[in-house]
Amino acid sequence: MPHLLSEIQRLTHHPITMKSMSMSRMAILRTMFLFSACIGIGFACGDDSSLKEVFRHHFMIGGALNDELVSGKDPQAAALVERHFNSITPENVMKWEHLQPEPGKFTFEAADRVVEFGVKRGMFIVGHTLIWHHQTPSWVFQDSNGKPVDRKTLLKRMKDHISTVVGRYRGKVRGWDVVNEALNEDGSMRQSSWMMVIGEDYVATAFAYAHEADPSAELYYNDFSLENEPKRHGALRLVKDLQARKIRIDGVGTQGHYKLDWPSPAQVEQTIEAFAGLGLGVMITELDVDVLPYDIETGAEISMRTEFRAELNPYPTSLPPDKEQELARRYADLFRVFVKHADKISRVTFWGVYDGRSWLNDWPVRGRTNHPLLFDRSYRPKPAFFAVVQTARKIH
Ligand code: 9MR
């Protein structure tokens, strides 16, 4: 028991007194559960390693940051970022609707803040994202009468946007998600407005414009569910087409919006090998593991929504120890694959910092309590964190 208490103190960073026992009994009980979850899976909880240090010989460790964190309103989250991440991606503020909400009217304040945050700390900053079908205002695709624009006009808008944005952050944003989610699940091209107005070469054109705006920036294609074969083949085709046209592309981001039971480690491994086989860098760009029940097959199709029902929100306070263990094992399985292929992977970025502020609390069902990341709602490392750390240590 004394050992258990000291481990709890180590985990929570709070001394346990009689007073705190009564005041925060729930928190302490929860930590005891966490501790037993750690023991259950044989991981060394209480290890306060920094992720970026632990994986410094493997790949960068990144996180998606929201504006609240960047502007100083969530200092505990910012402290986690400083300690654990050497790369950052803005979660929303570099999307078209934020940067150019109206024709020619650019609003850079929030994007500037995130770039300044990263530059100050010497972090690798990823720009997300230049061309996407979502979070792009409808004016982009319409003329002054609300009719669809022609190809020439849309190409000009694309070029203006890309050269203004990439040009502004030249030398500071070192890699860009140039095109995001251009594919359907069967590997065919998504019939987005980009595709319908410009045609399939909108992808190559966007990459060419980005390269022109900053010849030293790395350029990526980013998508989810590439672990599923049909979609992966679509992405391979798309990349090969760029390579055949001698258009610069440096890497592919497989987003990594995973479930406890999908995709299998073998699927993850095949995906990494397939893109690396084309001579590209591979990145896991939006990693999280959804632990809640779902009735949507896979992926991160943002347009899909389900109504809230209590049975879809089974862990509204905390994750029970058996689920905590399952999540830890899942993360360990994934990181074992990443570490094995560290020569092909340049970065693993989590989509968020801690559970309290994950997009998965609101997708595909609004208002749930999800637990997909390595840090809990009180900013404490979860058993999954310790499991991830162990994967680096076990192999070396
Ligand atoms: O995490 C983002 C969330 O805050 C936004 O509401 C959502 C809106 O589209 O976008 C989320 O981020 C997405 C990312 O930009 C692209 N891949 C899927 C991510 C999760 O939807």
Side-chain angles (χ1 to χ4, degrees):
M1 190 65 178
H3 176 61
L4 180 58
L5 283 181
S6 69
E7 276 305 317
I8 292 169
Q9 296 191 25
R10 227 144 68 85
L11 268 175
T12 55
H13 306 296
H14 289 306
I16 296 170
T17 60
M18 288 314 287
K19 192 163 163 241
S20 69
M21 264 290 195
S22 53
M23 271 169 51
S24 52
R25 240 175 110 228
M26 281 308 290
I28 289 167
L29 280 177
R30 178 163 187 282
T31 309
M32 289 173 82
F33 274 134
L34 283 185
F35 183 72
S36 62
C38 287
I39 293 183
I41 45 182
F43 295 122
C45 288
D47 182 333
D48 64 350
S49 304
S50 139
L51 291 174
K52 67 180 175 197
E53 283 303 314
V54 167
F55 291 104
R56 70 185 180 285
H57 298 306
H58 302 101
F59 29 68
M60 289 185 282
I61 298 284
L65 309 192
N66 59 39
D67 190 43
E68 192 186 11
L69 186 156
V70 170
S71 47
K73 294 180 197 121
D74 194 352
Q76 284 168 284
L80 287 178
V81 172
E82 289 192 335
R83 175 157 183 73
H84 295 287
F85 300 154
N86 44 20
S87 173
I88 57 170
T89 306
E91 185 174 359
N92 283 300
V93 300
M94 279 192 184
K95 293 170 181 171
W96 192 311
E97 69 177 14
H98 291 275
L99 289 180
Q100 198 188 172
E102 290 168 40
K105 186 174 166 275
F106 284 87
T107 45
F108 284 120
E109 292 78 9
D112 285 355
R113 268 198 293 278
V114 76
V115 171
E116 197 191 322
F117 182 99
V119 167
K120 252 192 193 154
R121 292 161 179 83
M123 294 167 154
F124 186 97
I125 305 167
V126 181
H128 175 84
T129 173
L130 295 170
I131 300 298
W132 193 19
H133 61 280
H134 195 66
Q135 287 181 285
T136 304
S138 46
W139 69 259
V140 175
F141 308 108
Q142 290 169 359
D143 65 16
S144 50
N145 301 317
K147 296 261 157 49
V149 281
D150 59 20
R151 174 181 155 95
K152 199 170 153 224
T153 309
L154 191 54
L155 281 172
K156 178 163 182 339
R157 288 179 182 174
M158 178 194 262
K159 183 169 189 173
D160 287 348
H161 186 81
I162 291 180
S163 56
T164 307
V165 172
V166 175
R168 182 177 184 90
Y169 298 116
R170 192 179 312 155
K172 293 181 176 166
V173 169
R174 310 255 298 279
W176 284 96
D177 289 339
V178 178
V179 174
N180 196 40
E181 302 172 9
L183 296 165
N184 292 317
E185 292 308 288
D186 66 0
S188 61
M189 292 295 289
R190 187 191 282 271
Q191 294 303 300
S192 67
S193 299
W194 294 112
M195 172 71 186
M196 290 189 321
V197 176
I198 298 176
E200 197 162 338
D201 63 340
Y202 88 85
V203 176
T205 312
F207 274 81
Y209 289 161
H211 182 53
E212 204 181 312
D214 183 356
S216 61
E218 292 189 353
L219 306 180
Y220 318 128
Y221 176 69
N222 192 50
D223 212 331
F224 59 85
S225 297
L226 298 178
E227 292 73 14
N228 291 341
E229 237 180 294
K231 194 163 184 178
R232 179 159 75 242
H233 286 148
L236 289 166
R237 212 172 36 245
L238 187 144
V239 168
K240 283 184 196 159
D241 174 61
L242 295 187
Q243 292 177 326
R245 294 169 190 238
K246 306 261 181 280
I247 301 270
R248 174 169 180 171
I249 174 168
D250 298 274
V252 166
T254 184
Q255 292 183 3
H257 292 299
Y258 295 151
K259 318 269 185 211
L260 284 167
D261 58 0
W262 173 90
S264 69
Q267 283 175 287
V268 175
E269 185 159 31
Q270 283 153 15
T271 307
I272 296 165
E273 284 172 336
F275 291 109
L278 293 184
L280 296 175
V282 181
M283 288 144 291
I284 319 301
T285 52
E286 305 187 12
L287 183 60
D288 45 27
V289 177
D290 190 344
V291 299
L292 296 183
Y294 56 93
D295 40 24
I296 286 174
E297 261 317 292
T298 56
E301 186 57 58
I302 196 74
S303 57
M304 293 199 162
R305 292 244 158 239
T306 307
E307 282 303 301
F308 184 95
R309 304 194 304 273
E311 68 266 28
L312 294 177
N313 192 32
Y315 320 118
T317 49
S318 62
L319 209 52
D322 60 326
K323 278 282 156 188
E324 202 76 79
Q325 285 184 29
E326 199 181 337
L327 180 68
R329 279 201 211 92
R330 175 65 166 147
Y331 263 112
D333 289 346
L334 291 170
F335 269 79
R336 264 193 291 276
V337 176
F338 302 157
V339 167
K340 179 175 170 196
H341 293 285
D343 59 328
K344 308 172 186 71
I345 295 177
S346 53
R347 170 169 57 90
V348 176
T349 291
F350 292 88
W351 205 242
V353 178
Y354 67 109
D355 288 345
R357 301 293 264 118
S358 158
W359 76 292
L360 286 173
N361 292 311
D362 287 306
W363 182 90
V365 183
R366 237 179 253 290
R368 293 195 298 176
T369 307
N370 214 327
H371 309 266
L373 296 166
L374 300 188
F375 299 94
D376 70 13
R377 287 178 161 66
S378 305
Y379 307 93
R380 287 172 309 204
K382 295 157 58 172
F385 170 90
F386 303 112
V388 162
V389 167
Q390 290 289 102
T391 60
R393 303 234 162 102
K394 271 193 182 138
I395 289 172
H396 290 280

